[in-house]
Amino acid sequence: MELPAQTFQVTRADLVRYAGASGDFNPIHWSDRVATKVGLPGVIAHGMFTMALVGRAVTEWAGSPGAVVEYGVRFTRPVVVPDDDQGTEIEVTARVREVTEDGLTRLEVTATCLGEKVLAQARATIRTAR
């Protein structure tokens, strides 16, 4: 079973807010000059910010943060965020892999940006309402 897709807009302003909240002011997250100098295609979103957006989708599917039992990902591709008002989009989808007898639902999660997967082995386990 497929769960409804969720889309998140990511702008440079979001990266600035996340940097302030997380304390991660690495210039690859705000300076095109530095990002391209180290071989990136441009400014990229913080990996943990991307993971948090996907976690938000999992929480919504679960119905509450307390229903998320386990969540993990591997980062495979950076999310490049253009310096404009639109930024970019991350689309999150999930497929139910298993529903256990003890009320847990295991999800296989996919996150894409511009049609490319940005996470691998993204999985979540949520507690299903009885």
Side-chain angles (χ1 to χ4, degrees):
M1 173 173 84
E2 298 286 326
L3 299 175
Q6 296 184 51
T7 303
F8 299 94
Q9 200 73 24
V10 180
T11 66
R12 294 274 178 104
D14 294 319
L15 302 185
V16 170
R17 285 189 287 276
Y18 184 82
S22 69
D24 182 352
F25 295 100
N26 187 323
I28 64 171
H29 302 303
W30 54 268
S31 170
D32 281 306
R33 181 179 49 80
V34 172
T36 55
K37 186 176 180 179
V38 299
L40 294 167
V43 165
I44 62 169
H46 303 74
M48 295 304 288
F49 178 65
T50 301
M51 187 177 179
L53 291 176
V54 175
R56 185 187 301 173
V58 170
T59 298
E60 189 168 311
W61 290 319
S64 77
V68 179
V69 176
E70 186 174 33
Y71 169 55
V73 305
R74 291 208 177 165
F75 303 104
T76 57
R77 176 169 266 124
V79 173
V80 179
V81 181
D83 189 11
D84 60 21
D85 293 334
Q86 285 73 44
T88 194
E89 289 184 343
I90 297 173
E91 182 179 63
V92 185
T93 58
R95 180 177 66 81
V96 174
R97 282 189 10 217
E98 175 187 18
V99 178
T100 68
E101 289 182 18
D102 58 347
L104 298 177
T105 300
R106 289 185 169 66
L107 304 176
E108 185 175 300
V109 182
T110 302
T112 58
C113 180
L114 302 175
E116 300 279 346
K117 279 187 172 185
V118 296
L119 300 176
Q121 298 179 14
R123 297 187 179 105
T125 302
I126 60 177
R127 195 176 294 14
T128 9
R130 294 181 188 230

